[in-house]
């Protein structure tokens, strides 16, 4: 079973950037989220996968593959996708040299 982790990006400078780790239950996540104004943050879930450099891959990461231009990792229809709803499951890229090159919050220019 994969580790349940989230990365947080705050729209408000008062909130720290970083990772939240919830090792036990989704109930703990609900309890924490009830205390946070969710319009101020963006939560991105860990895919359970590493890129070819050993970096964790999260939702919202911008990745470079051997097969297409830079694309965003998203969670659609119960699985992690590359390229959105019409994209391809991230599982198809496991042996293709995925590389995290940024994320949609800190490096949006990588998508142009």
């Amino acid at each position: 079973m994969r580790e349940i982790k989230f990365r947080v990006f705050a729209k408000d400078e008062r909130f720290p950037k970083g990772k939240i780790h919830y090792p036990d239950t989704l109930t703990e996540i609900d309890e924490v989220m009830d205390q946070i104004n969710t319009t101020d943050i963006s939560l991105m879930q860990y895919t359970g996968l590493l890129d070819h450099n050993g970096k964790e891959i999260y939702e919202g990461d911008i990745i470079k593959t051997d097969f297409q231009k830079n694309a965003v990792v998203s969670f659609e229809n119960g699985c992690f996708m590359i390229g959105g709803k019409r994209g391809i499951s991230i599982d198809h890229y496991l042996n293709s040299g995925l590389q995290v090159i940024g994320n949609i919050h800190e490096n949006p220019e990588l998508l142009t």
Side-chain angles (χ1 to χ4, degrees), residues 15 28-38 40-41:
F15 293 100
E28 291 178 10
I29 295 170
D30 288 337
E31 290 170 5
V32 172
M33 292 308 294
D34 286 344
Q35 300 171 22
I36 299 172
N37 182 351
T38 56
D40 294 332
I41 64 166

Side-chain angles (χ1 to χ4, degrees), residues 92-111:
H92 288 107
Y93 289 95
L94 290 180
N95 296 318
S96 68
L98 289 176
Q99 180 182 6
V100 175
I101 58 172
N103 64 68
I104 58 173
H105 299 284
E106 295 177 314
N107 315 100
E109 71 280 357
L110 294 174
L111 294 172

Side-chain angles (χ1 to χ4, degrees), residues 37-111:
N37 182 351
T38 56
T39 60
D40 294 332
I41 64 166
S42 179
L43 265 174
M44 289 154 285
Q45 189 173 181
Y46 176 48
T47 65
L49 303 172
L50 304 174
D51 75 359
H52 77 270
N53 294 319
K55 185 173 183 176
E56 295 176 340
I57 302 173
Y58 285 82
E59 283 181 274
D61 279 344
I62 300 170
I63 60 165
K64 185 176 189 173
T65 70
D66 293 340
F67 305 111
Q68 66 181 17
K69 62 183 181 179
N70 299 349
V72 176
V73 176
S74 62
F75 190 75
E76 307 286 345
N77 300 320
C79 68
F80 290 99
M81 306 287 286
I82 295 174
K85 289 181 181 178
R86 296 182 182 229
I88 298 174
S89 169
I90 198 168
D91 296 337
H92 288 107
Y93 289 95
L94 290 180
N95 296 318
S96 68
L98 289 176
Q99 180 182 6
V100 175
I101 58 172
N103 64 68
I104 58 173
H105 299 284
E106 295 177 314
N107 315 100
E109 71 280 357
L110 294 174
L111 294 172

